[in-house]
Amino acid sequence: MPAHRWDLLLTHATLATLDGEAPFGLLENAALAIADGHIAWLGPMDALPKRASIGRSEDLGGRLLTPALVDCHTHLVFAGNRANEFDMRLNGASYEQIARAGGGIRSSVAAVRQADEDELLRQSLPRARALLGDGVTTLEIKSGYGLDLDNERKMLRVARRIGQLLGIGVRTTYLAAHALPPEYRDDADGYVDALIDWLPQLHAEGLVDAVDAFCESIGFSPAQTRRLFEAARTLGIPVKLHADQLSDLGGAALTAEFGGLSADHVEYTGEDGVRAMAKRGTVAVLLPGAFHVLRETKLPPIALLREHGVAMAVATDCNPGTSPLLSLRQAMQLACTHFRLTPEEALRGATVNAARALGLADRGILRKGLRADLVAWEVAHPAELCYWLGGQLATRIYVAGQPLS
């Protein structure tokens, strides 16, 4: 009788396990076995068990095998685009000037409200496919361009449909506290009351995995954000926050106070905020795409995050205005170039730490018992994933052990 029964055996691979003490958790000339959608065994080729029943085998020919990528911050569901604002910024307009003139998020709100659910899906699917083609098998998708009950619901439903159609993991985040809609232009507190009222309905429909807000001078105040977080806590929904992107309003510390999954952007987060995140295990999600597009100069506090042991994730922030980025690998490269992350920090940031930022403990590392979400890359060393600018490097993508066609 065979001692092991495996559905798939991947052989002659270089494994970047991101586990253990070695850089990248690297294992040369290794193999990985999959059973029932999970990693059943991994190790050197010369240590392969002799008695195993193998459904099928694939020789990776020395290719790099890593955990599949996790994009933990996207606004991927939207209609139209905002290329005109890109032009405006290059002609001198600031992010705040565009927003206060009625552009920015509000223009995307108008486009989403005009599109029905099927049209919104039609426009959003290609963006999800682009991320998938570059190695992402789990992604977060936020609402926040509907700003009323029906349109927020529509966005979240489209996000769920994307996961079902592509066979990938999609986590949905309720971001109605993204901007003030036209009907609440002079009543921010009234709008917060409304979006808090919508939350139980959408959660009961199975559409909300987490709650987020844009806590900024041009968004929502810390007091308004706190009210939303208290409502989420009552429902048992985890929180995360667009925190300290344009100024330090204490958003990172507020998120940590509520045991938040992540504080995202964090360019202006000070040491008190970093200490609070470290204490509660809140992940810092770095978004170099927006930093790059907006030509920002204020860097996130990378040294403080390292010093206090705060896990750093990297995400695309894919959105129509400030980060029209369709490659998480490119976000990793930008994180290395702009923020001086090492290639290993960037890869961990797009795998294990990104999974943590979504509250997922079953992926992001090559380890026995975890989900077999994997990518085989046409490179020899993991540093190349951050070295190459563009190009199609993913050659084989597996979700729960099944290769995607």
Side-chain angles (χ1 to χ4, degrees), residues 142-328:
K142 302 178 189 294
S143 66
Y145 296 133
L147 308 189
D148 62 26
L149 176 58
D150 289 342
N151 285 291
E152 289 290 295
R153 176 187 284 120
K154 178 173 66 179
M155 291 188 69
L156 294 166
R157 282 175 51 84
V158 168
R160 287 280 191 244
R161 288 175 67 184
I162 286 172
Q164 293 161 2
L165 287 169
L166 298 184
I168 60 176
V170 170
R171 304 292 286 179
T172 53
T173 296
Y174 178 64
L175 182 59
H178 200 194
L180 282 180
E183 52 270 31
Y184 284 91
R185 187 183 308 277
D186 299 314
D187 187 11
D189 285 329
Y191 179 60
V192 172
D193 289 339
L195 65 86
I196 288 173
D197 286 343
W198 305 334
L199 178 57
Q201 301 176 59
L202 297 173
H203 184 238
E205 293 170 21
L207 295 175
V208 178
D209 295 320
V211 167
D212 194 355
F214 182 41
C215 184
E216 271 297 345
S217 60
I218 59 171
F220 295 87
S221 71
Q224 291 163 342
T225 302
R226 177 180 293 277
R227 288 174 54 206
L228 173 60
F229 280 7
E230 287 170 347
R233 182 163 60 187
T234 298
L235 294 168
I237 307 172
V239 301
K240 50 180 55 199
L241 188 65
H242 285 65
D244 308 334
Q245 179 186 8
L246 306 174
S247 60
D248 187 0
L249 295 183
L254 176 62
T255 311
E257 178 186 337
F258 281 81
L261 294 173
S262 68
D264 302 24
H265 286 290
V266 300
E267 281 91 337
Y268 283 82
T269 299
E271 185 161 8
D272 287 347
V274 172
R275 288 180 181 275
M277 293 169 68
K279 183 177 181 180
R280 296 301 298 271
T282 298
V283 177
V285 177
L286 306 178
L287 303 172
F291 182 93
H292 178 79
V293 170
L294 294 173
R295 295 186 296 170
E296 295 286 359
T297 56
K298 177 66 173 175
L299 293 167
I302 302 299
L304 284 174
L305 295 170
R306 287 173 176 149
E307 178 185 345
H308 293 285
V310 175
M312 294 182 287
V314 177
T316 63
D317 192 17
C318 174
N319 75 72
T322 61
S323 188
L325 180 55
L326 297 176
S327 165
L328 182 51

Side-chain angles (χ1 to χ4, degrees), residues 85-98 295:
E85 295 176 16
F86 179 69
D87 192 1
M88 290 170 66
R89 280 194 299 273
L90 293 175
N91 281 283
S94 71
Y95 181 90
E96 291 194 33
Q97 287 171 332
I98 291 170
R295 295 186 296 170

Side-chain angles (χ1 to χ4, degrees), residues 374-395:
L374 318 166
V375 181
W377 306 90
E378 196 65 68
V379 300
H381 191 275
E384 292 184 60
L385 298 178
C386 298
Y387 165 74
W388 292 107
L389 288 163
Q392 185 63 43
L393 301 185
T395 61

